[in-house]
Amino acid sequence: MSDTKAFKFTKADLYVNEEKLDIRAIIAEFQWYESIDSPFVRLDIAVLDSIDLDQRLFGTEKLEIEFQTYAAQLEDKKSKETKIKATLKMYKIGSVVKRERAKMYILHFVPEAMYHNESNRAFGLYGKKNGKDDVVERMLKEQMKIPKKDMEIEAYTKMNVLCPNWRPVDAISYVTDKVTRVAKGKGTKKQKDRKNIGVRQAGFLFYQNKRGYNFKSMDLLCEQPPLVTYVYGQKNVGTDDPAADKFRIETIKYPDRANQLEKLRQGVYQTATFGVVMAAPTSSSLPLSNANTEDDGPEGTVTGPVVTTIMDMFDKASTLEKGFPYAPEQMEEFKDNHPTRTKLKILPKLAHQQAGSDSTDGGAEEESASIMNAAAYANQRWWLLNTHTLTITVSGNTALFAGAVIKVDIPTSQQKNKNKLPKDRVFSGKYLIKGIKHTYTKDDMTTELYLCRDSLPTAKNNT
């Protein structure tokens, strides 16, 4: 393969009534989707059918697909996984459009684990108390039938989870903003300064990409080195080497940069989180006491509010770059003002989450106060991660995946040096791949990257 958009489409085997059909010849286009805020990948295939295949389909057929792009051979061979290979299950047959002797329709595919997620339910207690502290792994292995080799799970603190007939993905989602990282994050401060930062890093994401099922913190994702650098500029300028052109950015879509009302509404700049313990069921007509009183009853507000600001969050987080993404003087006006958003967090009774050998939870590490801190951190960490967003289109690259980090070099519009355009500081630098879409046609393959980041390069790192 030599062209920057060249590819190998090696397999598209559809199993219909136990018969294996190679359907590559009738595929007009397909799109592969991954996202860090979606638990499953998705594949949509547009079929140009002149053999009445649709009459044999029931919407539950299995598909094995494999494809690879020329651009997947990264600059310094950082990635050995240069192809996408997956086994999926059809869940929907789109509306059929008939034109003369041919029919056009779309086949929609998801992993078989999504079927298990809908048909199985998690019920009962999971956690340290009954020896089921690996909550996420149990949901994937026992409920969704996913082999361990397809899991990438970051170590997290323990807590007990009572599942009231939940889908497995709902149970995993429940713990994403309540547990914290076991490993110490790099953060933007020196390690000796981090001793004064109270809460450990929290905010986990559960998603599937081409590498498998991931349960990882946003901070861990931002600590990764970049896989590759993409440069915005004309192809074949100064070089005739296709290897250099495969890392050129074809198009850039700039997002809305400063929607201040949305930021205020979501509590990006400042948030107050209250932890509330619900009343326990009782047959007595007497009111239950407040948890802040000497009686230590089971309901009420556990502690005062946890107030978090964007500047505090930035100091605690392992950011992609070191530069603060907002004007610090602009943030000062929110320091003494009331929080721009208030959140209530429903908590288990404090005694049920205390650590210790003789606690009723069997030694789960998370206390209610810690859960509340983690929830406050997780919410604001997500909005910090999405401070700057960018969408770029590049030559198809199957080595990339949702959750990876790349670098982007975008020149400024104004040229000060005759020989070289300086980098645009606002939009150049490291980005996390929030979402990815590979689009195949008969002629070529392109990749659209939905990027986000939480920080800006400093002047030193922007040369």
Side-chain angles (χ1 to χ4, degrees):
M1 291 184 288
S2 58
D3 185 71
T4 57
K5 288 189 177 182
F7 60 89
K8 289 180 180 178
F9 188 11
T10 53
K11 181 185 285 189
D13 293 337
L14 186 67
Y15 290 82
V16 181
N17 297 326
E18 299 183 356
E19 179 185 358
K20 185 173 73 172
L21 302 176
D22 184 351
I23 62 170
R24 285 179 293 173
I26 63 173
I27 294 178
E29 180 179 319
F30 72 72
Q31 294 181 329
W32 171 278
Y33 300 92
E34 298 175 8
S35 176
I36 61 172
D37 56 3
S38 175
F40 301 103
V41 300
R42 198 176 84 237
L43 176 69
D44 296 340
I45 296 180
V47 174
L48 186 59
D49 182 5
S50 58
I51 58 175
D52 289 329
L53 175 64
D54 63 310
Q55 296 183 12
R56 302 175 60 188
L57 302 179
F58 292 92
T60 57
E61 286 74 17
K62 185 179 74 171
L63 173 75
E64 293 179 350
I65 190 166
E66 183 178 313
F67 57 97
Q68 179 184 5
T69 60
Y70 166 68
Q73 304 294 331
L74 299 182
E75 290 172 315
D76 52 2
K77 298 182 180 179
K78 292 179 182 177
S79 176
K80 296 180 181 179
E81 301 174 4
T82 59
K83 65 176 65 173
I84 291 178
K85 183 178 181 180
T87 300
L88 305 170
K89 196 169 183 178
M90 191 187 307
Y91 76 93
K92 178 182 176 182
I93 304 172
S95 57
V96 179
V97 177
K98 185 172 178 61
R99 291 184 179 178
E100 296 181 355
R101 295 184 180 180
K103 302 174 186 176
M104 174 72 77
Y105 50 90
I106 299 177
L107 302 178
H108 302 269
F109 294 88
V110 292
E112 190 169 9
M114 192 168 183
Y115 273 80
H116 294 307
N117 183 61
E118 296 298 329
S119 59
N120 295 334
R121 291 292 183 270
F123 183 80
L125 179 64
Y126 292 82
K128 189 75 174 179
K129 187 173 182 179
N130 61 355
K132 298 181 179 179
D133 53 318
D134 50 344
V135 180
V136 175
E137 185 174 334
R138 282 180 178 273
M139 293 298 150
L140 296 178
K141 183 180 179 180
E142 297 176 3
Q143 305 292 335
M144 297 166 62
K145 316 303 180 186
I146 296 169
K148 192 169 183 178
K149 65 180 181 64
D150 293 334
M151 306 177 195
E152 292 189 16
I153 301 175
E154 180 183 359
Y156 57 93
T157 53
K158 310 304 180 185
M159 65 174 293
N160 290 318
V161 181
L162 185 61
C163 296
N165 204 32
W166 277 343
R167 296 182 306 172
V169 164
D170 295 333
I172 295 173
S173 298
Y174 178 78
V175 303
T176 53
D177 65 345
K178 297 175 181 64
V179 297
T180 59
R181 301 180 68 187
V182 171
K184 291 183 178 179
K186 294 179 179 179
T188 56
K189 288 190 170 185
K190 294 180 180 179
Q191 194 65 37
K192 64 179 181 180
D193 294 331
R194 289 191 56 78
K195 294 179 181 178
N196 300 321
I197 299 176
V199 67
R200 286 179 293 182
Q201 292 173 333
F204 279 71
L205 300 170
F206 173 64
Y207 60 96
Q208 184 192 9
N209 58 21
K210 69 168 208 164
R211 300 171 64 177
Y213 293 84
N214 302 265
F215 186 76
K216 297 178 180 178
S217 66
M218 289 175 267
D219 290 295
L220 176 65
L221 296 181
C222 292
E223 291 170 0
Q224 301 173 104
L227 278 180
V228 69
T229 299
Y230 279 98
V231 180
Y232 184 67
Q234 289 180 283
K235 290 185 178 181
N236 299 319
V237 175
T239 177
D240 292 326
D241 183 12
D245 286 339
K246 68 184 179 182
F247 298 116
R248 299 281 185 183
I249 300 173
E250 297 179 3
T251 62
I252 301 178
K253 296 178 184 177
Y254 291 92
D256 295 333
R257 283 184 51 199
N259 189 337
Q260 298 297 339
L261 289 179
E262 181 188 42
K263 289 180 169 60
L264 291 170
R265 190 176 300 120
Q266 297 296 339
V268 175
Y269 300 134
Q270 186 165 301
T271 299
T273 305
F274 292 85
V276 178
V277 173
M278 303 299 289
T282 176
S283 59
S284 172
S285 59
L286 296 175
L288 297 172
S289 59
N290 188 280
N292 288 325
T293 66
E294 295 180 357
D295 294 330
D296 194 25
E299 97 260 6
T301 304
V302 176
T303 65
V306 174
V307 179
T308 54
T309 68
I310 193 68
M311 299 187 77
D312 293 337
M313 170 61 61
F314 186 81
D315 288 338
K316 298 170 187 174
S318 300
T319 53
L320 288 163
E321 302 282 3
K322 295 185 177 181
F324 188 67
Y326 300 98
E329 58 273 12
Q330 180 187 356
M331 299 299 102
E332 290 296 323
E333 68 176 284
F334 298 105
K335 252 188 174 182
D336 300 322
N337 291 353
H338 294 289
T340 57
R341 188 171 179 87
T342 301
K343 291 182 176 292
L344 295 177
K345 198 69 182 176
I346 306 300
L347 302 172
K349 186 179 177 183
L350 188 64
H352 294 165
Q353 291 292 320
Q354 289 176 334
S357 59
D358 42 348
S359 64
T360 57
D361 73 346
E365 298 175 15
E366 292 298 277
E367 298 179 356
S368 287
S370 297
I371 292 176
M372 197 165 68
N373 281 324
Y377 182 99
N379 174 72
Q380 206 159 23
R381 184 66 180 93
W382 174 255
W383 288 106
L384 178 65
L385 183 63
N386 288 273
T387 300
H388 289 156
T389 57
L390 196 65
T391 301
I392 64 174
T393 303
V394 299
S395 297
N397 191 337
T398 50
L400 302 178
F401 50 90
V405 173
I406 65 168
K407 282 189 71 175
V408 172
D409 285 349
I410 302 174
T412 59
S413 299
Q414 186 176 2
Q415 185 170 357
K416 296 181 180 180
N417 188 315
K418 292 183 179 180
N419 299 321
K420 186 178 180 181
L421 283 172
K423 292 181 184 178
D424 186 320
R425 177 174 176 266
V426 175
F427 289 103
S428 294
K430 296 179 185 177
Y431 282 89
L432 180 70
I433 300 178
K434 182 179 180 181
I436 187 169
K437 179 175 74 173
H438 299 296
T439 300
Y440 156 87
T441 65
K442 294 288 187 181
D443 298 323
D444 57 35
M445 188 174 292
T446 58
T447 296
E448 196 167 13
L449 300 173
Y450 305 91
L451 308 175
C452 64
R453 74 173 177 193
D454 49 19
S455 50
L456 291 174
T458 58
K460 181 179 178 181
N461 296 330
N462 199 43
T463 56

